[in-house]
Amino acid sequence: MKQQSDDAAAINDQPAWLQSYIESPEKQKALYKKTLLIVVLSQIFGGAGLAAGITVGALLARDMLGTDTVAGLPTALFTLGSAGAALVVGRLSQRYGRRAGLASGFLTGGIGAIGVIFAAVTNNIYLLFASLLIYGAGSATNLQARYAGTDLANEKQRATAISIAMVSTTFGAVAGPNLVEAMGEFALSVGVPALSGPFILAAAAYIIAGLVLLFFLRPDPFVVARAIALAERNASKAKDYIEETYSTDRRGIGVAALIMVLSQLVMVAIMTMTPVHMGHHGHGLSAVGMVIGFHIGAMYLPSLLTGVLVDKIGRKTMAIASGVTLLISGVVASIAPGESMLWITLALILLGLGWNFGLISGTALLVDATNPVNRAKMQGSIDVMVALSGATGGMLSGMVVANSSFAFLSLAGGILSLILIPFVIWANRK
């Protein structure tokens, strides 16, 4: 009763500008389109910032520590940092809106990238580790930005809205790894180590992404969506309507979380050790950058098609496709000759594609299973689990390869992804 009275009071106290959105479907549609445009702009820069740590983080740690055993530690650290940031960004978004949460996350990630640069210059491993944790905020925000487009989307638009946000990341994420060599030369020209060059790009990209959201994501789509939901709840006297609209599907949330967690775990583990594996077989930075660029392109570029497929043929069908694609990727990576750019690239493309299927289908399931009143908070909590799974994959990958081989890691990851299938089938049962 208290919650209902609080909601009613909140509705009555809405400012005039917000009330105008509640009453006008046309304004809601216009804001939905504007939100997608702003998210696209921010994600282009956010993708470039994300790519730096993926491409050279492991190589930077290996050079500073002199061993491959902890080469997966940078990925583990910035994904661990992204776990904490996902929780904070989700809570900020729930309380103050997407603008506050996403802008804060990207700006924090930019500060972390600056810290990595100083760590490389001073050869301070402790500063490197601390900065990578902070840098992880950008990764968490880059993922959470996909939710902003769904705030004002209907059920048949949700996966497509997610895919538009993700595909825009491609432009920066693919360009970032392919600028590794150029940024390395730029870094040397200004007197800093070559491997810190991509983090110069990351700092600028994350800060620009944060400023784009801070200044242009107005009105805030989540604030408007929440106000609309509360108004509909207050206006409806039908108990079944309220229960359907504001119920929480715990089974759906659990399956959505499992899909995203396993996809992230397998993808990060194999991806993290690929640059090190290539280095052992004589491939240079430009070759590593190209392979990672193709991988990141496969993570994001197919999103428009994936979003349509998720909306048309179903979330759970595409989740099963994710498990199968990740398995094939693991098998290809395990048998690929280390000297063959073609086979390594193919394995990483399939790895990115399987992750793409899993993330979009899992995200759509999560949005379906929550309601506007608790959605942002729940999204942040699930993204914490996703980030922790990535941290686990990154941390364990170096140890697994050091004690066995890259082939064993890849095959084990592919087999692990098959766990998705029985859980998805179970969730589909009434």
Side-chain angles (χ1 to χ4, degrees):
M1 294 298 293
K2 183 180 184 299
Q3 181 63 49
Q4 291 177 350
S5 63
D6 288 345
D7 290 347
I11 294 163
N12 294 331
D13 291 339
Q14 301 292 8
W17 70 265
L18 189 51
Q19 193 65 40
S20 69
Y21 278 93
I22 294 173
E23 296 171 354
S24 174
E26 291 75 18
K27 294 190 74 171
Q28 295 171 24
K29 291 178 182 178
L31 180 57
Y32 167 67
K33 293 178 181 178
K34 177 186 174 183
T35 298
L36 287 180
L37 176 61
I38 301 305
V39 169
V40 164
L41 290 174
S42 69
Q43 289 295 84
I44 290 173
F45 291 104
L50 170 71
I54 292 174
T55 308
V56 301
L59 301 176
L60 184 60
R62 184 192 64 183
D63 285 1
M64 292 177 71
L65 292 169
T67 175
D68 286 346
T69 304
V70 292
L73 189 58
T75 302
L77 285 170
F78 75 68
T79 49
L80 185 62
S82 73
L87 185 63
V88 173
V89 170
R91 298 295 174 90
L92 284 174
S93 298
Q94 185 71 51
R95 186 165 185 178
Y96 301 108
R98 300 288 184 192
R99 176 172 159 265
L102 297 177
S104 299
F106 274 132
L107 293 173
T108 303
I111 293 170
I114 293 171
V116 172
I117 298 166
F118 279 107
V121 170
T122 59
N123 199 35
N124 188 326
I125 195 68
Y126 299 107
L127 178 59
L128 174 67
F129 291 164
S131 298
L132 284 169
L133 279 169
I134 300 171
Y135 170 74
S139 175
T141 309
N142 191 270
L143 274 178
Q144 287 219 16
R146 74 193 189 277
Y147 293 120
T150 67
D151 289 330
L152 293 169
N154 62 44
E155 186 175 350
K156 294 184 178 180
Q157 294 175 319
R158 286 170 182 164
T160 303
I162 295 163
S163 68
I164 290 172
M166 288 184 61
V167 77
S168 58
T169 306
T170 309
F171 299 103
V174 173
N178 287 290
L179 290 173
V180 165
E181 196 165 3
M183 291 305 300
E185 293 173 359
F186 173 77
L188 290 173
S189 71
V190 296
V192 300
L195 287 177
S196 66
F199 285 96
I200 298 174
L201 173 64
Y206 275 159
I207 290 171
I208 292 172
L211 293 176
V212 166
L213 292 163
L214 185 63
F215 288 112
F216 298 109
L217 195 61
R218 302 167 182 263
D220 191 292
F222 184 75
V223 172
V224 174
R226 185 171 54 191
I228 293 169
L230 290 174
E232 290 175 349
R233 181 178 184 178
N234 188 58
S236 177
K237 303 300 182 184
K239 182 181 178 182
D240 57 346
Y241 171 85
I242 293 174
E243 288 180 347
E244 180 181 351
T245 306
Y246 295 93
S247 62
T248 298
D249 178 5
R250 295 184 181 277
R251 178 182 290 193
I253 290 172
V255 173
L258 179 67
I259 292 168
M260 291 188 280
V261 162
L262 272 180
S263 300
Q264 184 80 355
L265 175 68
V266 173
M267 187 275 292
V268 171
I270 298 174
M271 175 198 66
T272 296
M273 294 310 298
T274 297
V276 176
H277 174 67
M278 291 180 66
H280 288 160
H281 289 85
H283 298 287
L285 270 182
S286 59
V288 171
M290 187 179 73
V291 170
I292 296 299
F294 275 111
H295 166 66
I296 297 176
M299 287 171 64
Y300 294 101
L301 193 57
S303 296
L304 285 178
L305 178 60
T306 304
V308 173
L309 290 173
V310 170
D311 279 335
K312 295 292 185 183
I313 69 175
R315 280 77 157 126
K316 292 165 187 174
T317 301
M318 292 303 294
I320 292 173
S322 170
V324 173
T325 306
L326 289 171
L327 172 64
I328 296 172
S329 168
V331 172
V332 172
S334 68
I335 65 175
E339 299 79 14
S340 173
M341 281 283 292
L342 176 62
W343 282 102
I344 294 174
T345 302
L346 176 61
L348 268 288
I349 287 173
L350 290 170
L351 183 68
L353 189 62
W355 177 87
N356 176 272
F357 291 167
L359 190 74
I360 294 181
S361 60
T363 301
L365 275 170
L366 179 59
V367 175
D368 293 345
T370 54
N371 66 72
V373 178
N374 68 1
R375 184 166 292 151
K377 183 178 178 180
M378 183 62 68
Q379 289 165 343
S381 299
I382 297 300
D383 274 7
V384 169
M385 297 168 60
V386 174
L388 287 174
S389 70
T392 303
M395 182 170 57
L396 294 179
S397 61
M399 299 177 187
V400 170
V401 171
N403 291 282
S404 56
S405 66
F406 179 75
F408 177 82
L409 172 72
S410 301
L411 188 59
I415 294 172
L416 181 64
S417 66
L418 290 181
I419 294 175
L420 287 176
I421 296 175
F423 275 93
V424 170
I425 293 172
W426 167 76
N428 207 35
R429 296 173 59 190
K430 292 185 179 180

